[in-house]
Amino acid sequence: EVEVAIKVVVVGNGAVGKSSMIQRYCKGIFTRDYKKTIGVDFLERQIELEGEDVRLMLWDTAGQEEFDAITKAYYRGAQACVLAFSTVDRESFEAIELWKQKVEDEVGEIAMVIVQNKIDLIDDALVHTYAYLNLSSLSVFRYLAEKYLER
Ligand code: GDP
Ligand code: MG
């Protein structure tokens, strides 16, 4: 029986690896029907934290981030947020502050983590390591859930 459900929004510039990290983590439970109705996807995964069952609903954008067209429905009720950028995209790193602002404008201060994706490309780095390194998206989402529960 699930007592805690956490809506997590994953934001950041296009092509930084948001969908990939969500799919890697949740693969198997893909809510394709949802996309048709409101233009966004979420995938979910249940984890156990401190003896409690926690359901993580990870919301992905449908690639509309380049057009500044993410709807309020995407952010509504979000309790946690991943701010993602790519090791090989300096602009995506510089945009992190804007994404943070955008989320906070909609839902206020929530649990957040900055994630540096494409860490396997560190040899081509345009961004040095400033953030939570996404070596395993499993630990990223667990970390965020713990952070949320601490509040
Ligand atoms: P999104 O637009 O932020 O959702 O990014 P996607 O998940 O669609 O990924 C964009 C591109 O980056 C795709 O070609 C992915 O295969 C690639 N990609 C995603 N994550 C990684 C990663 O960790 N390392 C590398 N090298 N490529 C990645
Ligand atoms: Mg995507």
Side-chain angles (χ1 to χ4, degrees):
E1 180 188 338
V2 176
E3 285 164 17
V4 183
I6 308 174
K7 175 175 176 176
V8 181
V9 290
V10 181
V11 298
N13 283 7
V16 299
K18 300 181 299 297
S19 298
S20 299
M21 73 183 285
I22 293 169
Q23 273 166 38
R24 204 179 309 144
Y25 188 60
C26 299
K27 215 166 177 111
I29 326 164
F30 187 57
T31 57
R32 197 167 287 142
D33 293 342
Y34 213 81
K35 187 173 187 171
K36 286 178 199 142
T37 34
I38 66 165
V40 291
D41 282 323
F42 75 87
L43 284 83
E44 55 180 74
R45 180 164 168 175
Q46 205 168 305
I47 60 171
E48 201 184 292
L49 268 185
E50 292 159 22
E52 261 190 297
D53 288 327
V54 175
R55 180 188 297 147
L56 294 173
M57 292 168 291
L58 307 180
W59 285 60
D60 194 10
T61 62
Q64 73 272 52
E65 57 268 46
E66 297 299 30
F67 309 103
D68 196 23
I70 297 177
T71 60
K72 286 189 186 302
Y74 177 78
Y75 297 107
R76 192 172 298 129
Q79 289 141 317
C81 171
V82 171
L83 300 165
F85 70 95
S86 158
T87 296
V88 289
D89 180 353
R90 171 121 215 132
E91 228 173 85
S92 74
F93 175 67
E94 284 159 3
I96 286 292
E97 188 59 37
L98 295 174
W99 282 109
K100 178 172 186 282
Q101 201 55 58
K102 201 176 273 192
V103 173
E104 289 182 347
D105 286 350
E106 296 294 339
V107 294
E109 282 184 26
I110 56 175
M112 286 193 187
V113 59
I114 300 176
V115 171
Q116 178 165 354
N117 275 338
K118 306 199 187 183
I119 203 64
D120 54 300
L121 302 179
I122 195 70
D123 291 342
D124 311 320
L126 295 170
V127 179
H128 290 288
T129 54
Y130 296 116
Y132 196 118
L133 301 181
N134 189 14
L135 303 172
S136 153
S137 49
L138 195 142
S139 62
V140 170
F141 293 117
R142 173 172 286 271
Y143 170 80
L144 194 53
E146 283 169 354
K147 204 170 161 178
Y148 167 75
L149 288 177
E150 276 168 19
R151 300 195 144 212

